[in-house]
Structure formats: C-alpha cells, structure tokens
C-alpha cells in the first residue's frame, strides 16, 4: 500500500493507517496501535468511487469522514457522510477495526487476527505496598516502580528480605499472605504475570510468566502427559499439563513470543515449532527443552505452520505475510523447497495424501486454496474458495476452509470441487479464526473457533456436530487437538482446555492479557490467591501451590482494584472497574454478588472491614471520595468527601463499637474519619504518597515510598 488512509468518526474516534500498514486508533480516553494486512485496505479502496470526491470544509460532528492521501498517480480523495460523496460501504471494515481496537480484549472480534492485529495495551509500573505479617511479625512489603522490593518489620524497621532493581519486575500490585505454613509475598506486573515468593526464605513459590496473554497454542501427548504449549505477543513459551494445569516450564524466545505454534511426535522425539514475529522459526525437543534448529528465511510474520511425518522423517511447512511457503527438513534444519503462487498473506497450511503421495494444501487472504506435491515441490491445483480465507484443516480426502464471515466449507482435495460433506453452519457474522483436525476414539474429528469465542467440534465422517461451546475468555486466536482434549488460545490471553467428549473445561494457569490491577490473598484454612486485570478477568488459584487455577471472564471491562476477605466462612472478592462500579464475587465459583454503585470516579484502592458487626467494603475514588457499602446487600452506608486527589490507601477498623476510617491520597494527605457521624477527626500532611495504611490500638502506620511512619 502507498499513502495513508484516515477514518474520522465524530462519535467513535479516529483511525489512521499509514503506508506500511501500521495503524493508530484514538478517542478521548484511549489510544491503541497495531497492524493491518494490505488485503483490508485493498477492499476499502476497491469499493470506493475512482473519481476524486469533493473535500468538504467540515466533518459533521457525529458523522464520518474517509480520507485517502499520497497514492502515486492519484489525487487525494475524501468522502464525508451527509454530503454528495458519502463514505463508501467498503469502509465498513474500517468501522469494525476502529471499534475492535478501542474495545476490550475480551470483546467479540469482527475481524480475524490475520487481517488486523492490535498490539497489547501497555501498562505503567508503579510503587505499591501492603501491610501484613512475615513469619509471625507485623511487616510491610514495598515494591518500587523500578522492580526492587523489600520486606520490613513494622515495629523496629528490621529488614526481612528483598532485592535490587534487577528482580525483573514491572510491578502494579503487591500482596502478603499466609498459606501452607509459609508467609508468602506476591507481585502482579504490567505484563499480566503474577509471581509468588516465600517471604521468609526468598524462594520462588509459584507464578505465571508474563507475555501478554497466550494467543498461540499447540497440544501434544508428551511422555504420556497431555501438554498445552502457549505463547503471547511477547515473553517466552509456556508448557502446562492440559489436564490439570500444572506448570511444566518455559522455553526461551528472547522475549518475542510466537505468532504460530505446532507440536508433533516423530522418531521418538516430541517436537515443538514456534514462529517469532520477525519470521524466524525455532524448533525444540519439547521433552528436553533443547533447541534443535533456528530456521531463517521468511520476510514478515509467519502465521501458519504444519508438520508432515513419514516414517522417521518430518517436514515442516511455514508461511505467512511474505506469501511464500517454505518446506524444511526437521532432521537437518535445511530448506527443502520454496513454493510461490499465492498473492495474499498465507493463513492456513495442512498436509494430506493423494494417490499415496504427500500433498500440502494452503489457503490465503487472496481467497484461494492451493495444493502442492511435497516431493517435487510443484503446484498441483488451485481454486477460488471465498474472499478472505482465515483457516485450513485436512481430514481424509477433504479440505476444510473458514473465512471472515464465519462460514465453514468442505472441498475435494484432489479436484477442488465442493465436497459432499456435511459441515456445521458456522457462525454468520463472526469470523472463523482457527481450524484443527484430530481423532477421538479412532474417528477423525475437526474443531473450529470463532471471533465471538465460541468453539465447535464435529465428526469429519458424518458432519455431525458433537460439541458447541459458548464464548469465554475472548475471541479465539488458535486451537489444537490432542488425545481427547481441545486446547484454545484467545486474543484476550486465556488458554482454554476442554474435554472433547463432553466439553468439560479444565483449568489452566495463564497470565492476564494486560496489567494486573489488583492482587490479594484470601484468609481462612485454605487460602486462595486472587488477581484482577485490566483484561476484565479474575484469576484464582491455590495460594500455597498455584494449583487449581481458575479464570473468570467477567465481561465487566477493565478492573482497577481488588480486595479479598472471608464472610460467612466463604472467600469473597471485591473488584472496582472503569465502569464506576464495585462488584462482589464468590472467589471459588466466580458467582457474582451484590453490586455497589455511586463512585464518582474509578477506584484505585479497595479494602474490607467489619463495621457495626457486619462486613463492609471500602473504596477510594479518583477524586478523593471514600465510599462504604454493606457486603451482604450492597447498600451504601457512608460517603466521605476528600480533597480532590485520588485515594491511594484506605483502611477501616472498629474500636469499642466506634468505626474509624483512614485514607491517604496522591497529594500526600492523610485523613481520619468517624464513620457514624461522617465527621473528619484529623488531617495530616505526609512526606510522600501513602501506599498502605495499618490502623490499630497503637495508632496509624503509613507506608510511603520512603518507608513506614507512625502517627
């Protein structure tokens, strides 16, 4: 593409796409960037009138304007709704891209990732602190924005452990808790990871690595263990047991993540291939973690991988944005062939057999399916199969394609004619994002994933669907089948594992798709560690081991704060979000509880307390207001005005039947209120921003970036 394309929408925001496909979507409260495939721009321009449109002086306040600038040999052109030259209908894909880019990661996607990929939302590291106990001593944990952290006794400021800035953290939240007979220290980070240490010994207890989610997945039975491999847009690859979620380890990619993964067993070796965003492909022995090959040759992202195993030999096919398919001998890592013919980004690869010869099939955004002789490296056939083909799978003598409309089509692999196979209807209006083939009880099966997060599986021989799962965790990005499991990676960063037989979901530990907004340990005999993210998800796991990880995709938008308590013998969570609502949740089941309203601005801090003999949740808002609600019914019991600066720490306690509440704000002011009368008892200026407050009979102790002070 040459020149630039700009869509201005007075209501929804602005989208600018430059000559190399990079885009920026903006509105008053948000900005996101990413990349589009040239096929998207070609569709927009093909549907526009070739006669230069007049350029109105002003865009209607709530209208749209489309501008195309700098195309060689063409005049600059502009269309504006409400004029004689309205924005053409082909620009609908730009409307979809603008809405998708500025929405939340878990929202349904109107465009598949092959056409438009949004970069992860960035987060800002910040200092955070919490008061608790370490080895029975009252203590506080303080983590600095540069990643250094320290544990310090509250009574005499004795150091109890810590690190320097080389800890590798980009912190957003911190928590102290007790579990499994140990004092634990947890940190949430900008990359969505949650790390937990033994606060006494400094040993790592458990955690999730960063990497902006887990969009690309592959699955394999490795040494009799079903393994799910996953990778995001950055970070290393992760391996977990696909049946129980136990973390097995990581494979390094230099922090680059992966755009595609493929796992296969060949000649007694479990192989994992991963394509990096720079077009390189790494191949590991998945059992040992040994890097076997680094394959170099592609220019641009690799979006599709497929592996053919014949006896004790394996051939890897790779393709993507450079439109060239490359074949590699996995025994030597040497190139075997280069296949040219597609005129658009290649989005799907699959091996099949015709007349006892291995054949590679491919599909692309040029709307064609092509087949290639693997031994000779020559083209066999090609046919039009749609407009934007987004996925491909092979089963028996049939090929299956999916497209941006959500349609699934079966084709005869030899002739290219529509195959007389029944297939699921797909999901019209939701792009098909991924297809995968496998076997279940000896029968060939296929699975499809869609932009609304739904998953479908069907019997390839009969076409009868046997699994239809609703969306959860965000739009499907990739999926794979192994044994009796379906493993799915989503654009929102979740990894889902389902049993093919009945759809039962198995928990897998994954990072949040974006910064961690809050982290907390629940009290009780079986403590949990909970985290809430900007991705609108709540993750809960066993505090001592990290096992039994569950992820609740709430659909409530970005969270800004989290707190945990126990009420009625049950672990309870409170979340605050950008929707100006505080919500209560059951920490084990994810069941929603009372909804607390009235926040004038989003809350950055939440706290639980027992006031008047009843559990209460306290929120500090961005304008300094502090609100208190009853946990059991969500009714508001107090509203206290601050000084206009955001509340950064808040705590409530009851003494001799009188409730007191202390709050510190970003301006360094501490306020103490009497709750029953809503009267301000004291106000003091602090030397630093209060990050945590402890209130007991001995007085107030406030943790700032400089340490703890007592009032």
């Amino acid at each position: 593409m040459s020149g630039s394309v700009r869509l201005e929408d007075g209501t929804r925001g602005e989208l600018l796409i430059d000559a190399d496909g990079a885009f920026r979507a903006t509105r008053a409260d948000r900005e996101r960037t990413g990349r589009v495939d040239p096929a998207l721009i070609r569709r927009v321009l093909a549907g526009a009138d070739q006669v230069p449109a007049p350029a109105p002086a002003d865009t209607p306040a709530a209208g749209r304007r489309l501008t195309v600038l700098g195309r060689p040999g063409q005049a600059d052109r502009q269309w504006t709704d409400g004029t004689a030259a309205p924005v053409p209908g082909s620009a609908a894909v730009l409307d979809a891209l603008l809405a998708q880019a500025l929405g939340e990661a878990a929202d349904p996607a109107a465009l598949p990732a092959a056409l438009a990929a949004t970069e992860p939302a960035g987060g800002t590291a910040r200092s955070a602190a919490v008061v608790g106990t370490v080895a029975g001593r009252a203590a506080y944990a303080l983590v600095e924005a540069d990643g250094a952290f320290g544990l310090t006794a509250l009574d005499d400021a004795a150091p109890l452990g810590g690190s320097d800035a080389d800890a590798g953290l980009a912190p957003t939240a911190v928590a102290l808790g007790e579990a499994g007979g140990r004092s634990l220290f947890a940190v949430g980070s900008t990359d969505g990871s949650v790390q937990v240490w033994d606060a006494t010994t400094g040993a790592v207890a458990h955690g999730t690595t960063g990497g902006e989610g887990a969009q690309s997945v592959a699955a394999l039975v490795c040494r009799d263990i079903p393994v799910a491999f996953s990778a995001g847009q950055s970070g290393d690859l992760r391996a977990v047991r696909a049946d129980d979620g136990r973390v097995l380890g990581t494979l390094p990619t230099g922090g680059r993540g992966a755009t595609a993964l493929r796992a296969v067993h060949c000649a007694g070796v479990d192989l994992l291939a991963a394509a990096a965003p720079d077009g390189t492909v790494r191949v590991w022995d998945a059992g040992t973690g040994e890097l076997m090959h680094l394959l170099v040759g592609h220019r641009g992202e690799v979006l599709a991988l497929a592996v053919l195993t014949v006896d004790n030999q394996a051939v890897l096919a790779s393709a993507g944005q450079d439109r060239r398919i490359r074949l590699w001998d996995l025994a030597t890592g040497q190139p075997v062939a280069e296949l040219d013919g597609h005129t658009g980004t290649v989005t799907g690869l699959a091996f099949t057999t015709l007349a006892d010869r291995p054949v590679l099939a491919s599909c692309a955004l040029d709307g064609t399916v092509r087949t290639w002789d693997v031994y000779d490296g020559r083209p066999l056939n090609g046919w039009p199969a749609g407009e934007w083909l987004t996925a491909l799978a092979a089963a028996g003598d049939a090929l299956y394609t999916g497209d941006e409309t959500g349609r699934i089509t079966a084709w005869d692999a030899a002739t290219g004619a529509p195959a007389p196979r029944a297939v699921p209807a797909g999901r019209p209006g939701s792009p098909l994002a991924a297809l995968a083939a496998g076997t279940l009880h000896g029968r060939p099966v296929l699975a499809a994933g869609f932009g609304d997060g739904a998953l479908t599986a069907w019997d390839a021989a009969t076409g009868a669907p046997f699994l239809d799962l609703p969306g959860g965790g965000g739009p499907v990005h990739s999926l794979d089948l192994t044994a009796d499991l379906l493993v799915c990676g989503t654009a929102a960063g979740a990894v889902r594992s389902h049993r093919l037989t009945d759809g039962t979901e198995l928990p897998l530990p994954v990072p949040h798709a974006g910064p961690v907004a809050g982290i907390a340990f629940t009290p009780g005999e079986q403590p949990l560690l909970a985290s809430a993210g900007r991705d609108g998800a709540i993750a809960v796991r066993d505090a001592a081991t990290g096992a039994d990880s569950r992820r609740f995709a709430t659909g409530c938008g970005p969270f800004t704060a989290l707190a945990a308590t126990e009420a009625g013998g049950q672990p309870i969570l409170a979340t605050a979000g950008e929707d100006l609502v505080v919500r209560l949740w059951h920490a084990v089941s994810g069941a929603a509880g009372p909804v607390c309203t009235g926040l004038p601005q989003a809350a950055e801090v939440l706290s639980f307390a027992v006031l008047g003999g009843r559990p209460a949740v306290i929120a500090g808002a961005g304008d300094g207001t502090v609100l208190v609600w009853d946990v059991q019914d969500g009714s508001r019991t107090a509203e206290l005005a601050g000084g206009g600066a955001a509340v950064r720490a808040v705590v409530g306690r009851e003494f001799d039947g009188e409730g007191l509440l202390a709050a510190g704000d970003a301006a360094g002011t501490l306020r103490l209120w009497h709750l029953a009368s809503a009267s301000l008892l004291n106000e003091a200026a602090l030397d630093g921003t209060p990050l945590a407050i402890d209130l007991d009979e001995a007085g107030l102790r406030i943790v700032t970036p400089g340490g703890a002070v007592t009032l």
Side-chain angles (χ1 to χ4, degrees), residues 104 533-537 554-559 577-579:
E104 303 303 333
R534 298 284 304 173
D535 58 357
T554 66
C556 296
F559 289 126
E578 289 187 352
D579 58 0

Side-chain angles (χ1 to χ4, degrees), residues 149 151 182-185 195-206:
F149 65 85
L151 303 171
R182 296 188 296 174
S183 298
L184 299 177
F185 165 57
Q195 297 292 333
V196 183
W197 290 266
D198 185 307
T200 304
T201 67
V204 174
H206 58 85

Side-chain angles (χ1 to χ4, degrees), residues 129 647-649 663-670 686 688-693 702-705:
V647 178
R648 294 295 172 80
D665 64 24
T669 301
L670 180 78
L686 301 172
T689 302
L691 303 175
I693 303 174
I702 303 98
V703 181
T704 72

Side-chain angles (χ1 to χ4, degrees), residues 245-311:
R246 276 186 280 172
V247 176
L248 300 176
T250 62
L251 295 171
T253 66
R256 296 178 179 143
T259 54
L261 298 175
R262 184 64 60 199
V264 68
H265 184 84
C266 180
V269 179
D270 297 308
L271 300 174
L272 176 68
D278 62 1
T280 58
V281 179
R282 290 173 171 81
V283 182
W284 287 275
D285 179 329
T288 66
E290 176 188 359
L291 179 64
M292 300 175 63
H293 305 298
L294 177 64
L295 311 179
V296 179
H298 283 287
R299 297 183 177 180
E301 290 188 0
V302 172
L303 302 180
L305 298 170
V307 178
L308 169 70
T309 59
V310 179
D311 298 326

Side-chain angles (χ1 to χ4, degrees), residues 49 110 118 177 235 320 362 365 421 507 590 695:
D49 186 0
T118 303
S362 59
L365 294 180
R421 299 285 184 92
L695 174 62

